[in-house]
Amino acid sequence: MSHTTSPLPASSSGLSYVHPTPTSPWGTYLSQVDRVIPYLGPLARWAETLKHPKRTLIVDIPIEMDDGTVRHFEGYRVQHNLSRGPGKGGVRYHPAVTLEEVMALAAWMTIKNAAVNLPYGGAKGGIRVDPKQLSMKELEKLTRRYTSEIGIIIGPQQDIPAPDVNTNAQIMAWMMDTYSMNVGATATGVVTGKPIHLGGSLGRVKATGRGVFVTGREAARRLGLNLDGARVAVQGFGNVGSAAAELFAGAGAKIVAVQDHTGTIVNAQGFDMHDLMATLHRDGGVGAFTGGERIDPEDFWSVDCDILIPAALEGQITPARANRIKARLVLEGANGPTLPEADDVLAERGILVVPDVICNAGGVTVSYFEWVQDFSSFFWTEDEINLRLDKIMVDALKKIWETADRLKVSLRTATFAVACERILMARQERGLYP
Ligand code: NAD
């Protein structure tokens, strides 16, 4: 994450506590907002609100390590916008987490939740830590102390965390338990992505990948690209990337390239998905997979494929990489994987991008189902969940596509236009307090 003094995006909000650059996550988000302002009509009057996170909380997390030493970790929870409902967004554990990154991720949640019309604002959290270096006991202590520290702003009606990079159902269970102990009652609705027997929802684990598949299927249909036999390359083979790859493979596509933090593997004939998943479960990565050839990570970007799914971290598709991509369709499973200048390169080259703010909204949509089920204490079948998810994603994408055609803009700007209209209308109708 760069914190240099290079030029700010055109209309930086001038916050004193971050120093965005044109390629940093918050800088990328600000550019995306600037691109939609001309299409907001009279609501543009309220657009500045999108550049000011409502609340940013930085917490110190001291824990006693297994060897008896005490270490301090820095954690964050950002509530970007609460105009349409409680905050909603995941928690990331990663050594590169910064306040600025969490702000951008929270802002993208505001846009995403509005784009699929969920009754939520946007929030995100994170801890700067490499969880792979911690024992389970240390990870539990870290999670519990973090939850207590951010407990002053989260809650089933205030702000509802969920899993993100390097966090999972077990971490959500510890968060739920810690919050519940602090308030003196079992509060299942305080987090989503929990284990099934603790109020979790069927279908949640694979929901983000499923949403990537559904939006990809619809986009491919519009492009006249047959999924049966289509070649797919996936960067990031965690929760999102692996679930999406399995669904594409199930529809007849060939997964021809995969990259994660342990390596990059290609096979033009398509991988045996069963063997690939077995390697992932055994090693926690794909680097040692023998069903393909290992290549230089940078060559991943020029692999022959029809569909490219970035499902790792932000800022991966730079202008230089965008010039090498051979796919016709990019499905943004990750949040913020494409830099604004790279977006322009892809558009000039006629490569269609389904942006993160709709493409990966399947996870938060099923998180919403989980929250609703927890409140009503009535649980749905997996088929019901997948059907409802499919319909919400298809309907949301249809409206965004119509908006893109009407305004003659990219799907990203169209998604921002649909979402910002809902957010800023809520802002206007609520008025300013006091
Ligand atoms: P995860 O921790 O399950 O997987 C992350 C993957 O990225 C791993 O395969 C890891 O090896 C890979 N990775 C990390 N650094 C890399 C690098 N430098 N190069 C290549 N690969 C690298 O995380 P996830 O939940 O699958 O999240 C992935 C992305 O999807 C993130 O951008 C996240 O914000 C986004 N997302 C996740 C969800 C969700 O429900 N989990 C929802 C919406 C968006």
Side-chain angles (χ1 to χ4, degrees):
M1 208 64 44
S2 168
H3 277 245
T4 63
T5 50
S6 42
L8 295 176
S11 67
S12 158
S13 45
L15 301 172
S16 65
Y17 50 89
V18 288
H19 306 284
T21 71
T23 57
S24 66
W26 184 248
T28 298
Y29 165 74
L30 291 178
S31 304
Q32 292 166 348
V33 172
D34 283 340
R35 286 177 183 211
V36 78
I37 288 176
Y39 304 101
L40 295 178
L43 286 174
R45 166 170 189 252
W46 297 98
E48 191 68 16
T49 198
L50 298 165
K51 299 182 177 182
H52 294 259
K54 182 178 175 64
R55 289 191 188 107
T56 44
L57 178 63
I58 305 176
V59 297
D60 172 40
I61 312 161
I63 62 166
E64 188 177 0
M65 308 297 283
D66 292 347
D67 66 4
T69 59
V70 176
R71 280 186 65 191
H72 289 253
F73 296 90
E74 192 166 297
Y76 313 95
R77 186 74 189 170
V78 174
Q79 296 173 342
H80 171 259
N81 187 289
L82 304 181
S83 292
R84 302 180 70 254
K88 185 90 193 80
V91 175
R92 175 174 295 194
Y93 289 179
H94 195 276
V97 165
T98 61
L99 174 62
E100 195 207 312
E101 180 189 42
V102 176
M103 283 166 56
L105 292 166
W108 284 320
M109 288 309 300
T110 303
I111 303 296
K112 191 183 307 180
N113 291 334
V116 278
N117 217 357
L118 304 180
Y120 290 134
K124 200 86 179 191
I127 304 178
R128 194 178 318 139
V129 60
D130 182 357
K132 295 181 177 72
Q133 305 295 323
L134 301 188
S135 69
M136 279 296 270
K137 200 72 226 153
E138 291 165 343
L139 195 60
E140 179 176 350
K141 284 185 195 170
L142 182 85
T143 301
R144 288 187 180 280
R145 181 63 186 253
Y146 170 69
T147 308
S148 273
E149 294 296 339
I150 65 166
I152 53 174
I153 60 169
I154 64 168
Q157 306 283 7
Q158 285 83 38
D159 179 3
I160 307 114
D164 190 69
V165 174
N166 290 327
T167 55
N168 56 23
Q170 175 60 76
I171 287 172
M172 294 307 114
W174 289 328
M175 291 189 76
M176 187 276 261
D177 183 68
T178 305
Y179 180 85
S180 297
M181 289 298 144
N182 287 346
V183 299
T186 295
T188 52
V190 67
V191 290
T192 56
K194 300 178 293 293
I196 300 294
H197 50 278
L198 288 180
S201 177
L202 294 168
R204 174 61 185 92
V205 173
K206 297 198 169 179
T208 307
R210 183 173 290 279
V212 172
F213 172 72
V214 171
T215 53
R217 182 192 70 204
E218 296 303 301
R221 188 175 52 75
R222 287 173 185 257
L223 285 180
L225 173 64
N226 191 349
L227 286 190
D228 195 7
R231 298 159 306 164
V232 180
V234 187
Q235 187 207 30
F237 212 63
N239 175 285
V240 179
S242 66
E246 280 192 300
L247 286 163
F248 274 104
K254 291 192 288 190
I255 311 304
V256 294
V258 63
Q259 174 176 97
D260 72 1
H261 71 286
T262 63
T264 306
I265 313 284
V266 294
N267 182 342
Q269 305 309 312
F271 301 126
D272 179 312
M273 282 305 287
H274 181 266
D275 290 352
L276 182 61
M277 293 305 292
T279 304
L280 178 69
H281 291 139
R282 188 190 65 213
D283 300 348
V286 298
F289 183 55
T290 52
E293 183 195 343
R294 193 178 170 108
I295 60 166
D296 185 271
E298 203 47 42
D299 292 338
F300 171 82
W301 302 100
S302 48
V303 160
D304 267 321
C305 63
D306 303 299
I307 300 175
L308 175 71
I309 307 179
L313 298 171
E314 304 87 68
Q316 295 297 302
I317 305 186
T318 59
R321 288 173 175 172
N323 266 311
R324 298 169 57 203
I325 288 173
K326 302 225 171 82
R328 292 172 64 191
L329 178 59
V330 173
L331 304 175
E332 292 188 339
N335 285 307
T338 310
L339 296 178
E341 277 182 45
D343 237 356
D344 296 338
V345 172
L346 293 174
E348 278 159 24
R349 297 189 56 220
I351 298 172
L352 182 67
V353 178
V354 181
D356 49 4
V357 275
I358 178 65
C359 190
N360 69 34
V364 71
T365 301
V366 176
S367 274
Y368 166 60
F369 297 164
E370 179 174 333
W371 185 72
V372 168
Q373 291 171 86
D374 286 341
F375 273 118
S376 59
S377 298
F378 182 79
F379 290 85
W380 312 344
T381 66
E382 191 157 0
D383 279 352
E384 280 174 309
I385 284 158
N386 290 343
L387 275 172
R388 285 181 201 241
L389 171 63
D390 205 293
K391 180 163 169 36
I392 285 180
M393 298 296 292
V394 169
D395 290 351
L397 188 63
K398 185 162 174 275
K399 182 169 170 69
I400 288 163
W401 218 294
E402 285 164 4
T403 305
D405 288 345
R406 180 168 48 83
L407 300 178
K408 299 192 175 20
V409 294
S410 68
L411 288 179
R412 190 184 317 277
T413 298
T415 310
F416 268 70
V418 168
C420 290
E421 192 182 324
R422 290 179 179 148
I423 300 158
L424 300 181
M425 186 60 85
R427 166 83 283 172
Q428 179 165 284
E429 284 170 350
R430 287 179 65 158
L432 286 178
Y433 173 86

